[in-house]
Amino acid sequence: MAAEQSCLCTQGFTLFGILVAAYIVIKQTWNILRGLRSHILSRCWRTDLKTYGQWAVVTGATDGIGKAYALELSKRGLNVVLISRTLEKLKRVAVEIEKETGRKVKYIQADYTSGTNIYHKIEEELKGLEIGILVNNVGMKLSEMPCKYLDTPNIEKMLNSLINCNIQSVVQMTRIILPQMVQRKKGLVINISSEAGNRPHPMALMYSASKVFVDFFSRGLHVEYKTQGITVQCVMPLFVSTEMTFQMKTNIFVKSAAAFASEALNTVGYTERTNGCLSHSLQSYAANLISDDLYYLLLESKSIEEYFKNMNTSYKNKDK
């Protein structure tokens, strides 16, 4: 009798193990197929972004990923509204896009770190435009270099600026533009988050936490409005060569802003949550295999701190 019970237990555990292994294999196969669909298939069959509407609005549009999105959207047939802080840069980028693509370009000067007083002006200047795409890109770091929370220079001012820029801008711009999309039953909201929003990032804590908000807000908003023809996509890049990353050299791991924006826009219509490009998706997959304890140890290591210090010094010396 005891032998029979032991045999049944062994068979039960064996069956359980087979089921778990089958689940893991099926899940990973499904993830691979989804990745191929998002990053390979999408290169051949792009979503026609003009179907969303005539105009795209891009925040933080004069540098880095924002500028690259604005230019790529223009190349794909949309007129664009650039919103950023520096008037001279806005004028220069507007001329650049008009010359290269022949599309209409409007610009609005606004400092997203300053609080809610800017949104009435933005709302007024956007009136009358058929806005099909909103790219919530504007963002900032709490400090130039990785540091502990309380070691942040001018922490009170920087906290307010970061919350206004990284969080308030997303919800306010969505509040302004989403109603007309719902009315037309068509629209695309692209929110630029970060891989740093996938789990806590010591030494860049507030930036990471703000990007978690963007991710959760995007996913929830998509569920709320997808039946009304609205797509909300959250983009979570890793390293892209911009001023925020000290213009890192591009390689198989680090994308240029232009290459990233092009690949990321290809994924529209294929996925609502993406790292933007194949390289970053593979890096994210590998990073998720690392335990939290080891991940945090790496982020807090002196070698990482020295690496960013050297990059910052090199970047500043290059500008001199």
Side-chain angles (χ1 to χ4, degrees):
M1 187 69 178
E4 287 180 6
Q5 287 180 338
S6 176
C7 184
L8 284 172
C9 284
T10 302
Q11 288 176 349
F13 280 122
T14 301
L15 178 61
F16 178 73
I18 291 170
L19 289 173
V20 170
Y23 169 77
I24 292 171
V25 169
I26 291 169
K27 185 179 179 182
Q28 296 308 318
T29 302
W30 176 246
N31 287 339
I32 290 168
L33 291 173
R34 285 182 64 194
L36 289 172
R37 179 174 178 268
S38 297
H39 297 298
I40 305 300
L41 212 61
S42 64
R43 296 179 186 183
C44 304
W45 290 280
R46 292 180 176 181
T47 300
D48 184 1
L49 300 177
K50 297 192 298 297
T51 60
Y52 288 108
Q54 296 177 8
W55 288 83
V57 174
V58 184
T59 67
T62 54
D63 289 298
I65 292 174
K67 179 183 175 182
Y69 260 91
L71 181 57
E72 187 64 28
L73 286 164
S74 297
K75 288 178 179 177
R76 299 193 188 196
L78 285 97
N79 304 317
V80 291
V81 180
L82 314 174
I83 308 180
S84 201
R85 177 171 51 188
T86 309
L87 186 59
E88 292 74 18
K89 284 186 176 181
L90 283 166
K91 290 178 179 178
R92 186 175 70 246
V93 174
V95 169
E96 183 182 330
I97 292 174
E98 284 174 342
K99 280 185 177 178
E100 188 166 339
T101 68
R103 306 305 304 178
K104 295 178 184 176
V105 181
K106 288 173 63 74
Y107 54 82
I108 301 170
Q109 184 182 18
D111 181 358
Y112 281 104
T113 67
S114 64
T116 58
N117 57 304
I118 63 172
Y119 293 102
H120 177 71
K121 173 193 171 186
I122 292 172
E123 192 167 4
E124 287 298 310
E125 296 205 32
L126 292 177
K127 278 183 177 176
L129 299 181
E130 183 191 82
I131 300 167
I133 299 175
L134 166 64
V135 181
N136 281 313
N137 163 76
V138 70
M140 60 173 284
K141 298 182 292 185
L142 194 63
S143 61
E144 188 175 53
M145 298 301 300
C147 66
K148 291 182 179 179
Y149 177 67
L150 290 179
D151 293 338
T152 304
N154 200 6
I155 186 170
E156 185 177 356
K157 178 179 181 295
M158 293 305 294
L159 282 172
N160 286 328
S161 294
L162 182 138
I163 290 167
N164 285 332
C165 188
N166 293 16
I167 296 174
Q168 185 83 256
S169 67
V170 175
V171 295
Q172 292 290 355
M173 291 303 299
T174 303
R175 173 190 64 80
I176 290 168
I177 293 172
L178 185 60
Q180 65 159 283
M181 293 179 173
V182 172
Q183 191 174 27
R184 294 197 316 273
K185 299 189 183 302
K186 189 177 291 185
L188 170 64
V189 178
I190 299 174
N191 293 328
I192 308 298
S193 177
S194 169
E195 176 66 16
N198 247 340
R199 60 174 132 185
H201 265 56
M203 311 302 284
L205 189 57
M206 281 301 297
Y207 178 78
S208 170
S210 71
K211 294 306 182 179
V212 174
F213 173 86
V214 175
D215 181 29
F216 273 46
F217 178 74
S218 303
R219 289 154 70 181
L221 195 70
H222 179 75
V223 173
E224 288 183 357
Y225 287 96
K226 64 181 178 180
T227 58
Q228 294 174 259
I230 311 301
T231 297
V232 182
Q233 185 188 62
C234 183
V235 181
M236 307 179 76
L238 282 84
F239 283 119
V240 178
S241 181
T242 65
E243 287 189 14
M244 188 180 282
T245 58
F246 312 120
Q247 298 291 356
M248 300 171 78
K249 288 183 179 180
T250 58
N251 51 48
I252 61 170
F253 301 109
V254 181
K255 303 291 287 187
S256 70
F260 179 81
S262 178
E263 285 195 49
L265 279 171
N266 287 346
T267 69
V268 171
Y270 288 89
T271 180
E272 286 72 54
R273 191 169 184 255
T274 177
N275 293 107
C277 64
L278 181 60
S279 167
H280 287 188
S281 291
L282 292 172
Q283 290 177 67
S284 176
Y285 180 83
N288 286 330
L289 299 176
I290 302 172
S291 69
D292 283 350
D293 288 341
L294 178 57
Y295 196 74
Y296 300 152
L297 193 65
L298 290 170
L299 288 176
E300 292 183 288
S301 68
K302 285 291 181 185
S303 57
I304 293 291
E305 189 178 337
E306 286 301 316
Y307 174 72
F308 280 104
K309 278 183 181 177
N310 291 336
M311 274 208 311
N312 186 25
T313 302
S314 176
Y315 177 61
K316 285 181 175 177
N317 290 338
K318 196 186 297 182
D319 282 350
K320 285 181 180 178

